[in-house]
Amino acid sequence: MNVIIPPKRRDGGTSFMKLVGYLSLRDEKKPDDVITPDKTEKTSSRSSQAIFDRLVDYVERRNDFSSMQVVASFPDGREQVIVGGVECETNCFSLETAAAEMNMVAAQNRHCKDPVYHFILSWQEDETPTPSQVFDSARHCLEKLGMANHQFVTAIHRDTDNIHCHIAVNRVNPETYRAANLWNDADTLQQCCRVLEKRFGFKQDNGSWVWGDNNTLRRAPWRFRNAPQGAAKREIFSDKESLYHYAVRQVRSKITDAIKNKTASWNYFHLLMHANGLGLREQSGGLVIYDIARPDTMMVKASDVHPSLSKTRLEPYFGPFEAPPRFDSEDLEEGGMQSITTTNPNSRCAIGRREKSVVKKGLLHAMTSNCVIKNTAIHG
């Protein structure tokens, strides 16, 4: 499992104004605005009071006609409900009043300009956590962030290939009215993911922490960079996996293994990318990874996917960058790799399954076994 933290705006305002595409509770009109027949569009409220309302509506996937079914209530005040097919949990008096409750508590702290905290927990494609496991995971993260008693709403989304949950929490404590200090929150949540994977038997995902000797967490050997802001924003808006996170999930660990096993080469990188519907090319003096289906519009910096994928690190060992080999349509008849021409945004899911077939037949190994490795390892 992994975590996504939506980026905050640099001007200190909330980043959720662009996150939520739902109608605001009220319209705002500036005094100097002129209403004309051709200017009747609605604008989102910019008041802090409306922020929680739109965020809660978003994580619940609520619409005006959604019916709410109470599933369970707990002695500590938590309640689990189903709203429009979406499973939710909250510790507010009711999910229907959660936004108003959060607004009232946040208003008691005049110094906290951005009381909304929002993060996403995502599981790997082949994992199916139960609602209990998802809600337990969310509460564990809140406890480690120092917000165990803060107001929250958790919603499980199952409409993508990766089951994930959104957690919206009020940074202002409902008893002391003090705002939680979230310094180093990303690192804390990464550690939470490793602990929860072990607790519930999930596979260990990529991250900045791994399990070491004596059953203790330690820093991962590779210090991977954070996801680009554009990748996180795309996932927040559309609930579809970004090219960056898809590439990380599909090829990062394989690149690390190839470097450690001394089987890496330019040809290996090209074959690995193509087996997953991706491509590697030179651009603006560096390297980028792109989507074969949309080579001119969807791309990500190669070193963001893996720090070793840069010309300065690879060329001293493998020589100047080599263009990818030609991939003919005949490859598909051999059960191998093909270029994906569909414009379906979910086509990468099928690519992952195709890669398993490729690896099973040993094609990728056979095509890379003759690669000449110019050095035994890459340091760095």
Side-chain angles (χ1 to χ4, degrees):
M1 60 187 296
N2 221 323
V3 62
I4 300 172
I5 303 176
K8 296 290 185 179
R9 283 172 41 172
R10 294 182 180 180
D11 59 5
T14 178
S15 62
F16 299 126
M17 299 301 296
K18 292 185 178 180
L19 164 64
V20 184
Y22 296 92
L23 294 178
S24 302
L25 294 180
R26 62 183 179 88
D27 301 332
E28 281 193 345
K29 174 182 173 299
K30 296 181 180 180
D32 56 348
D33 281 350
V34 178
I35 302 298
T36 61
D38 59 345
K39 185 182 179 183
T40 59
E41 67 273 7
K42 295 182 179 180
T43 59
S44 298
S45 169
R46 299 180 183 274
S47 66
S48 58
Q49 183 175 356
I51 295 172
F52 278 119
D53 302 329
R54 287 192 293 273
L55 180 58
V56 170
D57 285 347
Y58 171 75
V59 298
E60 295 173 13
R61 299 289 173 82
R62 173 180 292 187
N63 56 60
D64 295 337
F65 305 99
S66 297
S67 58
M68 186 174 70
Q69 173 189 355
V70 177
V71 177
S73 298
F74 301 90
D76 60 0
R78 288 181 294 114
E79 186 177 67
Q80 294 178 0
V81 302
I82 297 178
V83 181
V86 178
E87 299 150 296
C88 303
E89 181 180 76
T90 183
N91 61 349
C92 296
F93 287 109
S94 168
L95 194 62
E96 295 177 325
T97 61
E101 294 174 48
M102 290 180 175
N103 282 327
M104 288 188 291
V105 171
Q108 306 307 310
N109 188 323
R110 298 182 180 181
H111 300 288
C112 184
K113 303 302 181 183
D114 194 359
V116 184
Y117 186 72
H118 175 210
F119 64 97
I120 303 164
L121 294 177
S122 178
W123 281 258
Q124 298 190 50
E125 184 176 349
D126 57 347
E127 293 177 336
T128 55
T130 64
S132 177
Q133 291 173 333
V134 174
F135 293 139
D136 286 349
S137 298
R139 292 197 304 273
H140 174 83
C141 291
L142 291 176
E143 179 184 354
K144 295 304 179 182
L145 289 170
M147 295 190 290
N149 298 322
H150 289 225
Q151 298 162 312
F152 72 88
V153 173
T154 300
I156 305 174
H157 291 179
R158 303 179 183 274
D159 53 354
T160 64
D161 294 319
N162 299 76
I163 295 177
H164 60 281
C165 69
H166 293 259
I167 301 96
V169 58
N170 188 354
R171 287 180 55 211
V172 178
N173 188 294
E175 297 178 357
T176 66
Y177 302 134
R178 293 182 178 179
N181 184 351
L182 296 176
W183 178 83
N184 209 29
D185 56 336
D187 214 40
T188 300
L189 289 172
Q190 279 289 330
Q191 294 183 57
C192 289
C193 288
R194 301 293 84 79
V195 172
L196 293 167
E197 288 166 347
K198 194 167 187 177
R199 176 185 299 178
F200 296 120
F202 300 126
K203 294 184 299 184
Q204 181 171 299
D205 210 334
N206 295 316
S208 56
W209 290 87
V210 296
W211 287 105
D213 299 331
N214 302 321
N215 202 30
T216 57
L217 283 172
R218 62 178 176 83
R219 289 283 183 185
W222 295 95
R223 284 292 293 150
F224 296 115
R225 300 176 182 176
N226 294 330
Q229 288 191 0
K233 287 181 179 179
R234 180 183 183 277
E235 293 184 348
I236 295 163
F237 278 113
S238 65
D239 266 341
K240 294 183 182 299
E241 187 176 33
S242 66
L243 176 63
Y244 166 82
H245 282 104
Y246 171 81
V248 166
R249 178 167 55 85
Q250 293 296 106
V251 305
R252 178 181 277 180
S253 61
K254 295 181 178 67
I255 293 172
T256 300
D257 292 341
I259 291 173
K260 289 182 177 179
N261 298 331
K262 306 170 188 177
T263 58
S265 68
W266 289 121
N267 195 37
Y268 173 85
F269 294 139
H270 288 307
L271 294 172
L272 175 63
M273 296 296 171
H274 202 81
N276 291 279
L278 304 171
L280 180 68
R281 70 178 180 223
E282 285 185 297
Q283 184 166 312
S284 302
L287 298 178
V288 297
I289 293 174
Y290 61 92
D291 187 340
I292 291 178
R294 293 168 290 279
D296 298 324
T297 58
M298 299 195 63
M299 63 193 72
V300 64
K301 190 176 178 181
S303 59
D304 284 343
V305 174
H306 196 290
S308 289
L309 284 183
S310 67
K311 295 175 66 176
T312 56
R313 289 196 174 188
L314 296 179
E315 287 186 340
Y317 300 94
F318 304 141
F321 176 78
E322 298 176 8
R326 179 172 180 176
F327 298 97
D328 296 325
S329 59
E330 297 175 355
D331 291 336
L332 181 60
E333 299 176 0
E334 300 296 329
M337 298 163 286
Q338 68 165 350
S339 176
I340 305 301
T341 57
T342 178
T343 57
N344 184 350
N346 296 320
S347 61
R348 287 194 289 270
C349 302
I351 297 168
R353 293 190 290 270
R354 184 178 296 108
E355 182 200 6
K356 295 178 182 178
S357 175
V358 173
V359 175
K360 185 175 180 180
K361 294 190 176 184
L363 180 60
L364 185 59
H365 173 73
M367 296 182 73
T368 57
S369 60
N370 295 326
C371 295
V372 178
I373 310 303
K374 296 189 177 183
N375 207 321
T376 58
I378 297 177
H379 302 284

